[in-house]
Amino acid sequence: MQPLRQLWLTFAAAIAIGVVSGQASAAPEDSHLILYPGSTAVYINGSKTQAQAATLELDGRIYLPAAELNNWFGIPVKWDGDRQAVQITTPKAYLEYSLADRTVLENGTGRKWGTDAELQGNRLYIEMAALQQYIAFHGKVDHELKRVELRYVKPEANRTRFTNDAAPNVKPVAKFTVDKEAYRIGEPIHYNNLSYDPKGTELRDIQWIGNAQAIFTPGLYKVSLTVKDSLGNVSDTYSRNILVKNEPYLDAFEHKVYYAPVGTYVREEEAVLRKYLRGIPQIPKQEQKPVDRPLIVSDSPETFTEKGFLYQEKVNGKARLYATHVNGTDRKMKFAIIVRNSDPVRSVTIKTTNQGEVYPSIYANLMGNEPTIEFLQGKRAVETMVLRPYETAYYKVMPDFYPGQGMNVLYDVETDGEVYFSFAAMEQEDGLDTIGVFPRLAYKGNVRGTFSGSEVQWNIDASSIRRPSSFAIGDGTSDQFVTGTDFFSQKPALNLGNYGVVYKIHIEAPPKMSVLILPRGGVFRGPFLVNGKIVQAPPSGVMMDYQGYTIIARTNGTEPSLDLEFSPASGSAFPIDVIFYPLNRK
């Protein structure tokens, strides 16, 4: 270990010559700094420079090198060899850090510095949050980008150096900077809000005028900012002009595609949508349709007006049960899925490995959206029931099904023997002992049947996509509907819309792009599972055909793949287009 005096000498030598005298250097009036813990690289107002020492991150805290406070903020830092201490003169307090006993004097009052400071590598570091008490900068740690962002506005020269709670209640100061001197048409404009309150109180109200994120007509545009502190004091209005050159970058449509956040629903005129998103190349797909899990759909009569069996099918192994119905009677009913073991000798175990359900509701799109979200997430624990020989039981029952309400359910089941699942509309007083006389209700359109599979797998190579391209879900041509047979009538059945089917879409080597959902068949609301995370399309309400689109994903061109999962939600119309819009053309 170095002798303490040698440590002090090293520290003194590390402080810049202009700081040793105790004089503040000419720091920028407005500073926007980006630091990277462990690195000496520093960006000041966009220009890269090198610090004397790297910023530190210790036990979740950020520490700034004391030797750089002069360069970054114009704060005088001095080494006092006689007192063997580092002296820092801030706008709010005079600080003296003694290296020998690790104490700090604040306006003459001493205390241990604890975690507020750190001595490492022969240099003094001060914890960022502790330093903010004395220097009016805004500090932010971006854990995702692994960097620290500091914003600082130099106090006015005639302002009192030290303040305390008895200081005058001066009004806050509004200030901002932009990242460029001039912008092209449609180029993003980044505003750095550097407003502050000299007393350190919180800024509660921030009012911008004219701070467009992009401007699409050349000219000079005025942007103004006013702020209010927590005590009600209002700043003077700060304004500056933004110059937009007559040089194209992005038009209004493309700017939204490039920069609107993922999950945003973008309203747009039909003519604009057709111009940009129709007549574009179709993306080829490699398709597989597994047949290991048949799909059993009960959706006819969708609106029932009497009690009876809606549909029925036998299962031995895997299956997916899907049902959507509306109570069209004038009284409260109950919907039930009934299961019967037809084996006279052995018991049968039924496992529910995934499910999505919503209890009866009058809201059609909620009725389809909520169970689809639950089913795609697939986080429910496995449920098990055992049927004795010849036993009949309720698999699921919804007892309070009021007139005008609808319901929607999906269940993945696995059985180790043959059972019969029956979907039934029942009166309140009906029980399992009365279902033997129930009629089979007639088919009245929509979908009913047992289909060959419940999953569609698409593999897409997107590496060569250079212009907007798309593929359709639910159009019946490029996306063929699954086929099957109606158990009651033994006639062929077609699953129009592929309700109950889960699409698993794997995109290999996606370029830098936005992924858009454009409805083309009518009202639409549906969730997508994007790399394991639910994204709603739209985030609230519904979309109508050719009135807007939702951005469900954006890639940066470095991902090896992108995975989407989707299942058509009851109450939504099809087809929809999934559009890949490359962002690498600018």
Side-chain angles (χ1 to χ4, degrees):
M1 180 179 294
Q2 294 189 57
L4 187 58
R5 181 165 181 79
Q6 178 62 37
L7 182 100
W8 293 330
L9 292 173
T10 305
F11 180 84
I15 299 179
I17 298 299
V19 178
V20 173
S21 66
Q23 300 298 315
S25 65
E29 292 290 324
D30 302 335
S31 297
H32 179 208
L33 296 93
I34 296 178
L35 318 172
Y36 294 86
S39 171
T40 58
V42 180
Y43 290 84
I44 303 178
N45 293 339
S47 298
K48 185 177 180 181
T49 185
Q50 295 292 326
Q52 300 179 46
T55 300
L56 298 182
E57 183 174 4
L58 301 173
D59 298 326
R61 298 183 178 90
I62 299 297
Y63 290 81
L64 307 179
E68 289 293 348
L69 300 183
N70 183 47
N71 295 331
W72 295 349
F73 308 123
I75 300 298
V77 180
K78 180 181 178 181
W79 167 251
D80 188 321
D82 294 333
R83 298 178 62 84
Q84 301 173 348
V86 178
Q87 299 167 341
I88 305 174
T89 304
T90 77
K92 291 191 175 183
Y94 174 81
L95 306 172
E96 185 175 284
Y97 290 84
S98 173
L99 276 61
D101 57 4
R102 296 182 182 244
T103 60
V104 56
L105 291 176
E106 180 178 347
N107 293 341
T109 302
R111 57 178 171 81
K112 288 289 186 181
W113 73 42
T115 59
D116 287 357
E118 185 72 26
L119 195 62
Q120 192 171 110
N122 300 338
R123 294 185 181 274
L124 177 68
Y125 293 81
I126 304 176
E127 202 258 332
M128 182 176 72
L131 196 60
Q132 282 180 286
Q133 302 175 59
Y134 310 108
I135 303 175
F137 65 84
H138 298 281
K140 175 185 175 184
V141 180
D142 191 327
H143 296 287
E144 183 177 352
L145 296 178
K146 297 180 180 179
R147 72 183 193 184
V148 179
E149 185 175 356
L150 306 179
R151 293 180 178 176
Y152 174 72
V153 177
K154 186 177 180 180
E156 296 171 7
N158 61 354
R159 182 154 294 141
T160 303
R161 180 177 297 279
F162 303 113
T163 64
N164 53 41
D165 291 340
N169 187 19
V170 295
K171 61 186 178 183
V173 176
K175 267 191 177 181
F176 69 90
T177 61
V178 291
D179 58 332
K180 301 183 72 174
E181 293 184 0
Y183 295 87
R184 293 170 287 176
I185 296 171
E187 186 174 7
I189 304 172
H190 299 288
Y191 303 89
N192 295 324
N193 185 356
L194 301 174
S195 304
Y196 68 98
D197 181 40
K199 275 181 64 67
T201 60
E202 181 183 359
L203 296 179
R204 291 287 180 83
D205 192 14
I206 299 174
Q207 297 291 336
W208 291 89
I209 298 176
N211 62 324
Q213 300 306 300
I215 299 174
F216 302 98
T217 304
L220 199 61
Y221 296 85
K222 182 179 180 180
V223 180
S224 300
L225 175 64
T226 306
V227 297
K228 182 190 293 185
D229 67 18
S230 58
L231 301 175
N233 300 304
V234 181
S235 71
D236 293 334
T237 298
Y238 178 83
S239 301
R240 65 188 302 161
N241 291 324
I242 305 295
L243 174 63
V244 179
K245 301 180 293 184
N246 190 14
E247 182 180 338
Y249 179 68
L250 292 173
D251 62 26
F253 175 85
E254 289 185 311
H255 184 271
K256 298 169 190 173
V257 173
Y258 273 61
Y259 295 108
V262 170
T264 299
Y265 171 58
V266 180
R267 291 186 178 276
E268 195 61 86
E269 295 294 328
E270 179 175 351
V272 175
L273 293 171
R274 290 186 179 275
K275 173 184 175 182
Y276 284 90
L277 303 181
R278 292 297 294 157
I280 59 180
Q282 296 300 292
I283 302 172
K285 310 179 295 286
Q286 292 183 345
E287 181 178 86
Q288 291 184 326
K289 291 183 176 179
V291 295
D292 61 323
R293 186 183 297 276
L295 174 63
I296 301 168
V297 176
S298 177
D299 186 21
S300 182
E302 183 170 277
T303 300
F304 59 82
T305 56
E306 59 182 313
K307 70 179 183 181
F309 286 115
L310 300 157
Y311 192 57
Q312 185 181 81
E313 184 57 274
K314 63 182 177 181
V315 173
N316 191 347
K318 294 181 179 180
R320 176 170 301 156
L321 312 180
Y322 177 93
T324 181
H325 291 284
V326 177
N327 181 359
T329 73
D330 58 359
R331 57 202 178 276
K332 185 169 72 169
M333 302 286 284
K334 62 183 178 183
F335 169 81
I337 300 178
I338 300 161
V339 61
R340 176 172 63 90
N341 179 5
S342 58
D343 195 302
V345 177
R346 63 185 297 270
S347 296
V348 175
T349 299
I350 303 168
K351 292 183 179 180
T352 303
T353 58
N354 193 14
Q355 68 179 40
E357 58 186 15
V358 62
Y359 270 69
S361 167
I362 61 172
Y363 301 104
N365 295 104
L366 170 70
M367 182 181 77
N369 192 68
E370 298 308 309
T372 307
I373 291 176
E374 181 184 5
F375 192 83
L376 289 177
Q377 289 179 320
K379 295 180 179 179
R380 294 288 293 266
V382 174
E383 298 177 0
T384 301
M385 65 182 299
V386 178
L387 292 180
R388 298 184 301 274
Y390 277 153
E391 182 181 6
T392 299
Y394 285 118
Y395 173 71
K396 299 287 180 179
V397 61
M398 296 181 178
D400 297 321
F401 200 172
Y402 287 89
Q405 289 185 331
M407 48 69 59
N408 179 228
V409 294
L410 301 91
Y411 304 104
D412 273 357
V413 298
E414 296 181 9
T415 75
D416 62 359
E418 184 176 277
V419 297
Y420 281 84
F421 285 96
S422 300
F423 304 80
M426 305 174 69
E427 301 276 5
Q428 286 292 301
E429 64 273 15
D430 286 328
L432 294 176
D433 57 336
T434 65
I435 61 174
V437 295
F438 276 20
R440 292 180 172 181
L441 300 184
Y443 173 79
K444 293 183 179 179
N446 293 332
V447 179
R448 189 176 76 181
T450 302
F451 301 95
S452 57
S454 56
E455 186 174 297
V456 174
Q457 299 173 357
W458 288 340
N459 286 316
I460 298 172
D461 182 357
S463 60
S464 61
I465 293 176
R466 295 294 179 267
R467 55 177 294 195
S469 305
S470 70
F471 59 87
I473 296 178
D475 65 349
T477 53
S478 64
D479 174 25
Q480 293 285 332
F481 300 134
V482 294
T483 59
T485 303
D486 186 321
F487 179 84
F488 283 167
S489 68
Q490 290 301 303
K491 293 181 179 179
L494 184 65
N495 187 351
L496 293 168
N498 273 355
Y499 295 99
V501 173
V502 171
Y503 290 78
K504 294 188 175 182
I505 306 167
H506 179 78
I507 300 112
E508 194 72 19
K512 185 177 182 180
M513 67 180 182
S514 290
V515 181
L516 318 178
I517 302 300
L518 175 70
R520 291 199 286 120
V523 63
F524 177 82
R525 176 170 175 77
F528 285 78
L529 195 67
V530 182
N531 286 341
K533 180 181 179 181
I534 288 290
V535 179
Q536 297 261 41
S540 62
V542 298
M543 294 194 290
M544 295 298 297
D545 51 319
Y546 291 110
Q547 291 187 9
Y549 60 87
T550 297
I551 303 173
I552 65 164
R554 185 173 285 123
T555 54
N556 60 25
T558 64
E559 299 91 344
S561 63
L562 173 68
D563 287 286
L564 311 177
E565 290 190 34
F566 172 76
S567 186
S570 174
S572 288
F574 290 85
I576 62 172
D577 280 346
V578 181
I579 298 163
F580 294 171
Y581 206 105
L583 307 180
N584 56 2
R585 297 181 298 123
K586 299 295 179 184

